Each structure stands twice: as structure tokens, then as C-alpha cells.
Amino acid sequence: MVIKETTAKGAVDVRNDLLAARLVLTPRIYLSVLPIELLRGPTKPLIPLKQSLSTLTGPVYGHDSVGELDADLTRNGRKNGEPLGERIIVSGRVLDENGRPQPDTLLEIWQANAAGRYVHRDDQHDAPLDPNFLGAGRCVTDKQGRYRFYTVKPGAYPWGNHHNAWRPNHIHFSLFGPSFLTRLVTQMYFPGDPLLELDPIYQAVPASARHRMISQFSIEHTEPEFALGYVFDIVLRGRNQTLMESR
């Protein structure tokens, strides 16, 4: 199953295989919550494909080429000034089902700018682009499974799924493990966002698990005079796993 955010904006198109952690929606549910995908949604059972040795053991690109500014979205896209918007720090840990840290995991994030606009040629939302904000970054978890990003809080934006449809503020996360097929993708939301109750993607997640996709404000991770801190731990498997987008 694929959960896609493919809109008239064309900002994001997520099509990713998941292994350990899965959010599985039946075609009936999928089509009912995402009418915009009516003609693209599956109508027949999916056919599992056997994984080859090369796909399970192939090298993952990117770990060794992470640059100094890759995890700082407030600086990695600067051209002639500071990016606009509320600066935030997003940090957390990547854990397995037993709470063990997962080191050397490549995390990539992408997001809209503070006005709700992606840096994408198909994004035609009537909101300004920020010439000093790229909207993408990456880092590798340390030995304790910890990661940290500096960025600006993304804005909400319309996405055409239904009348007056708006996506809540969110950041996309992609995690790479030791092989090509160990890629997991999820979305991180912010506490207290009124659009969560109106968003069909968020509402498609079982009610008991939705809180796992919401970050928590943390004064301990807030840097004085600079940026508010949010904590978002990612659990890969088990009963407390973070819900992921799935094929």
C-alpha cells in the first residue's frame, strides 16, 4: 500500500517500501480518506515480491557524504540572509522495539517553508518561496541513536483533497538502515494543531497510535534566545512503533 501526498501542488510524492514498521490501509479505507487518489488507489490485493540478495545487502548511499550544515536547515540554504519563520530544534532517538538505540541510521527530512510552500517546480501554492530556505536536510544517528535538526516551523498549506482541505504543519522523515529496502518514511506533527482533527491522512492512523506521530515541546531542548525545542522519538518495531507510510 502507498500513502501518497500527490496534490495539485505536486510538492510531495511518497512511494516507499517499509519492512519492519508498517501502516497498512485497505484499498477501501485508502480511497475513502483520500478521494483525490480515487483513480490511483489499488482495487485488488497487492502481490508481495521476493527480496533479492542484492536489494537486502546493497550499500546505502549518503552516510559518508553528510556535510557539516546538512542538519541545519536554517543555514544550509542561505543565499543573502536568514530564512524567515519561527526557528525550532527537532531532536530525538531512533529505537527498536526493546528501546535499544539504533546508531548509524541515516535520517533525511523535507518540509514546506514557514509560508507553507515547498521548493518544488510543481508547487504552485500562492505563497512566497524563501530564497534562504532549502527545506531539506539529513544527519546520521550517533551511538545512542540520537539525532538533531535545526529548522523553521513549516506552515500549513491547501492540498485539494476535498473542499477547503489543508495539511497540518508537518515534517517528513525518511530513515535508511543497512540496506536499500530498509527505508522507512513517516510524518512528524506538532502538538495542539487544530488541523489534525480535519486531516484524512492523520485520521487514517488508528486513534490509539496517533500520538506517536506528534512531537512534544521540550523546554530542556529549547535554546535560550534562539529556538524552541521539540522531541520526536522514532520506534521502528513492536507495539509502540511509530506509524509509517507503507507500500
Side-chain angles (χ1 to χ4, degrees):
M1 180 59 59
V2 179
I3 295 181
K4 295 182 294 183
E5 185 183 325
T6 307
T7 74
K9 298 168 78 275
V12 182
D13 187 1
V14 178
R15 300 179 177 91
N16 292 295
D17 294 295
L18 302 184
L19 292 180
R22 295 182 180 274
L23 168 57
V24 179
L25 300 180
T26 66
R28 183 185 301 273
I29 296 176
Y30 175 76
L31 295 178
S32 67
V33 299
L34 300 177
I36 197 172
E37 298 290 338
L38 184 62
L39 298 179
R40 304 184 189 185
T43 58
K44 297 181 180 180
L46 303 182
I47 301 175
L49 299 177
K50 185 177 180 180
Q51 299 159 10
S52 67
L53 181 62
S54 62
T55 55
L56 289 174
T57 60
V60 172
Y61 62 88
H63 288 69
D64 296 331
S65 60
V66 175
E68 179 182 355
L69 298 181
D70 283 1
D72 190 345
L73 282 67
T74 68
R75 296 196 293 162
N76 67 12
R78 285 188 191 178
K79 293 183 179 179
N80 56 15
E82 297 267 356
L84 300 177
E86 176 188 346
R87 287 189 296 255
I88 62 173
I89 302 166
V90 178
S91 61
R93 301 179 71 195
V94 179
L95 308 167
D96 69 7
E97 67 271 33
N98 295 314
R100 294 176 296 201
Q102 301 298 294
D104 299 319
T105 298
L106 177 66
L107 274 75
E108 299 174 330
I109 65 170
W110 63 98
Q111 62 170 89
N113 65 21
R117 181 92 180 260
Y118 287 92
V119 180
H120 193 288
R121 63 184 181 183
D122 292 332
D123 186 348
Q124 298 302 311
H125 173 36
D126 185 19
L129 285 170
D130 188 337
N132 296 301
F133 187 71
L134 181 63
R138 58 183 181 167
C139 71
V140 176
T141 57
D142 65 14
K143 293 182 179 180
Q144 299 302 316
R146 294 174 296 202
Y147 73 88
R148 177 183 291 257
F149 288 101
Y150 289 84
T151 186
V152 299
K153 191 172 184 179
Y157 57 82
W159 63 299
N161 182 67
H162 53 276
H163 174 66
N164 207 14
W166 290 76
R167 290 296 339 269
N169 305 335
H170 64 281
I171 298 176
H172 298 267
F173 275 74
S174 168
L175 293 80
F176 272 106
S179 73
F180 283 120
L181 288 186
T182 53
R183 187 188 186 198
L184 307 176
V185 177
T186 190
Q187 297 182 18
M188 185 202 86
Y189 299 97
F190 292 86
D193 191 330
L195 289 174
L196 290 174
E197 294 186 3
L198 304 175
D199 184 59
I201 294 179
Y202 176 78
Q203 290 295 320
V205 176
S208 60
R210 292 172 189 162
H211 68 281
R212 303 175 204 162
M213 301 174 68
I214 301 178
S215 60
Q216 299 297 316
F217 169 73
S218 172
I219 192 64
E220 290 78 13
H221 291 81
T222 294
E223 293 191 7
E225 312 299 327
F226 184 72
L228 296 180
Y230 291 87
V231 174
F232 185 59
D233 291 336
I234 301 173
V235 180
L236 301 182
R237 296 178 293 275
R239 61 187 301 177
N240 294 318
Q241 71 180 37
T242 304
L243 276 294
M244 303 283 177
E245 299 169 3
S246 175
R247 171 177 288 177

